[in-house]
Amino acid sequence: MPKDATAPAPRPMRADARRNYNRIVAAAETVIAEHGAEASLEEIARHAGVGSATLHRHFPTRQALLEAVFKSRVEALCAKAHDLLSDTDPGTALVTWLRAVGAHAVANRGLGASLMRGARHGDPTLGNTCHTMIVSAGDELLACARQAKAVRPEATISQLLKLVSAIALATEEEPDGPTQADQLLNLALDGVRLHRTSRPHE
Amino acid sequence: MPKDATAPAPRPMRADARRNYNRIVAAAETVIAEHGAEASLEEIARHAGVGSATLHRHFPTRQALLEAVFKSRVEALCAKAHDLLSDTDPGTALVTWLRAVGAHAVANRGLGASLMRGARHGDPTLGNTCHTMIVSAGDELLACARQAKAVRPEATISQLLKLVSAIALATEEEPDGPTQADQLLNLALDGVRLHRTSRPHE
DNA sequence: CCATAACTGGGGTGGCCCTCCGGTTACCGC
DNA sequence: GCGGTAACCGGAGGGCCACCCCAGTTATGG
């Protein structure tokens, strides 16, 4: 039986079904890379050489398809978070990871939106696995950084991720998206205001 | 260009045309308030009691319609910016104004997106007037604040507005959007990192 | 009052998302 | 090897939408 670790199959999927499933994900990857996450589902189906009904049967909602497409990248991000946990500087580790998340969100257009919609309370089972994965991975990093007093203690991982997602979402369609996103993230991390460093002169 | 509806032209427009124009804007206002900026243009036309062709003739693109709808609010924001120019604390003035921009962007769903799309270089004449108005109004505030060394000097007004828009865009569909947006804006303004001094707010 | 040009909106086109339903095909037991 | 069965496939169609065309209508200047 052909092993593909990406899809757990309690009931074994029929061979042709799995073949089409993989085709659709591959097609979605390329089409989304070109047209963004709002790409036409029919075009994805056309590109995959299947009917639109097949696509909708395998992925009842667009979110489900995005999850399948982005799953490997999200796993890579989580792995990176785990690696960074052993970093000597938890603050820098967190920032590095957030920057990586932002870069991925800008590069894979719509990942940011996907992450945020994953936070929607509507579907408890469908389409929030990526979101919960990212949140739990980042939460550990944030906990370390907070313990090291490297970040503002009132900041939550949800807020940080939302901030990163928002920046990515806002810049992902710009010509120099990655550059702008990085600048904005730096600004947000360091703050816009200048606090008087030596003496608070209020 | 035959129509520049809001500018006082002697008689460029026939009376019925102007009547329909105003009807459409009013209808768009209510429909957008209910369904967001991605509302159906046909529903707006239906609500205004005109044909869809009339709507498209007056507003060739959705952006043009959004501009007309949000123009008064943008003008109010610009007026507020002008008022804040005479504030004693330029830093606080800038922050106050940015917060007001964010609040409006969250409240008037799609204003944020509208502002960002206004930055697109595609249409030089259509649909960036709101954007340029906001930018020039904010630029003066930023200049004052920078002169008073209240903000990081490398921050540009474009970046600040993009940040605010991004936050608004990311939170505008949440149940507690305004609250979240305000928290995120605070975070971004004060910075996530803790540097040498921790003086978040006074 | 009338000629004319501007304005209007019903209807058409094409695209999208999504769902039935009859035909097809892989799989399992014999 | 060989049906029987259930899972699977995809074309066809419905509903919705943005946008355009063209014949009819109406405000307006002379």
Side-chain angles (χ1 to χ4, degrees):
Chain A
M1 87 170 127
K3 295 284 169 90
D4 196 341
T6 53
R11 308 292 288 175
M13 222 172 182
R14 239 170 67 170
D16 52 348
R18 172 164 295 274
R19 190 170 54 85
N20 277 345
Y21 181 99
N22 290 333
R23 271 195 192 179
I24 291 172
V25 172
E29 205 154 339
T30 59
V31 173
I32 284 177
E34 187 166 357
H35 292 72
E38 298 299 310
S40 158
L41 296 181
E42 295 214 338
E43 185 179 344
I44 292 174
R46 239 176 284 133
H47 197 277
V50 302
S52 62
T54 301
L55 188 148
H56 280 95
R57 196 176 317 110
H58 282 298
F59 305 98
T61 164
R62 164 177 252 111
Q63 187 64 27
L65 178 57
L66 292 179
E67 292 267 333
V69 169
F70 292 142
K71 184 152 199 178
S72 63
R73 303 175 224 248
V74 168
E75 282 167 352
L77 282 177
C78 291
K80 181 160 192 173
H82 192 260
D83 288 354
L84 284 168
L85 269 181
S86 55
D87 202 285
T88 56
D89 184 347
T92 309
L94 176 66
V95 169
T96 303
W97 186 71
L98 287 177
R99 203 179 305 265
V101 172
H104 275 72
V106 175
N108 309 309
R109 311 161 42 152
L111 199 160
S114 170
L115 287 180
M116 275 188 303
R117 316 245 166 198
R120 285 288 169 292
H121 45 69
D123 292 305
T125 59
L126 248 180
N128 59 355
T129 63
C130 280
H131 181 257
T132 51
M133 282 171 64
I134 288 269
V135 164
S136 55
D139 213 10
E140 303 180 33
L141 273 175
L142 176 60
C144 285
R146 189 182 291 161
Q147 202 164 8
K149 298 202 184 312
V151 298
R152 215 167 275 278
E154 69 267 23
T156 70
I157 188 61
S158 257
Q159 287 181 324
L160 293 183
L161 285 175
K162 194 158 290 195
L163 199 56
V164 171
S165 301
I167 289 173
L169 190 61
T171 58
E172 71 182 359
E173 294 189 15
E174 302 282 335
D176 55 345
T179 308
Q180 284 197 31
D182 212 54
Q183 289 174 351
L184 281 180
L185 188 54
N186 269 331
L187 202 60
L189 290 177
D190 288 335
V192 174
R193 284 167 168 153
L194 285 181
H195 321 110
R196 287 80 171 175
T197 48
S198 42
R199 75 195 98 169
H201 160 258
E202 165 64 23
Chain B
M1 49 179 68
K3 41 176 133 5
D4 189 79
T6 49
R11 312 196 45 166
M13 218 179 215
R14 242 168 65 172
D16 53 349
R18 173 165 291 273
R19 191 169 54 84
N20 276 345
Y21 181 98
N22 290 333
R23 270 195 192 179
I24 291 171
V25 172
E29 205 155 340
T30 58
V31 173
I32 284 177
E34 185 165 359
H35 292 74
E38 298 299 310
S40 158
L41 295 182
E42 297 214 336
E43 186 178 343
I44 292 175
R46 237 175 287 133
H47 197 276
V50 302
S52 62
T54 302
L55 188 148
H56 279 95
R57 195 176 319 108
H58 281 298
F59 306 97
T61 162
R62 165 178 252 112
Q63 186 64 28
L65 179 57
L66 292 180
E67 292 266 334
V69 170
F70 292 142
K71 185 149 199 177
S72 63
R73 301 174 226 251
V74 168
E75 282 167 352
L77 282 177
C78 291
K80 181 161 193 173
H82 193 261
D83 288 353
L84 284 169
L85 268 181
S86 54
D87 201 284
T88 57
D89 184 347
T92 308
L94 177 66
V95 169
T96 303
W97 186 70
L98 287 178
R99 203 177 305 264
V101 172
H104 275 73
V106 175
N108 309 310
R109 310 160 43 151
L111 200 159
S114 169
L115 288 179
M116 275 188 301
R117 316 240 168 204
R120 284 291 168 290
H121 48 68
D123 291 306
T125 59
L126 250 181
N128 59 356
T129 62
C130 279
H131 181 255
T132 53
M133 283 171 64
I134 288 267
V135 165
S136 55
D139 213 9
E140 304 179 34
L141 273 176
L142 175 61
C144 285
R146 190 183 291 161
Q147 203 164 6
K149 297 202 184 314
V151 297
R152 215 165 275 277
E154 68 267 23
T156 69
I157 188 63
S158 259
Q159 287 181 324
L160 293 183
L161 285 175
K162 195 159 288 195
L163 199 56
V164 171
S165 301
I167 289 173
L169 190 62
T171 57
E172 71 183 359
E173 295 190 14
E174 301 281 335
D176 54 346
T179 309
Q180 284 197 31
D182 213 55
Q183 289 174 351
L184 282 180
L185 188 54
N186 269 331
L187 202 60
L189 290 178
D190 288 334
V192 173
R193 284 169 168 153
L194 285 181
H195 283 115
R196 291 287 161 252
T197 55
S198 60
R199 207 64 160 146
H201 22 249
E202 164 59 27

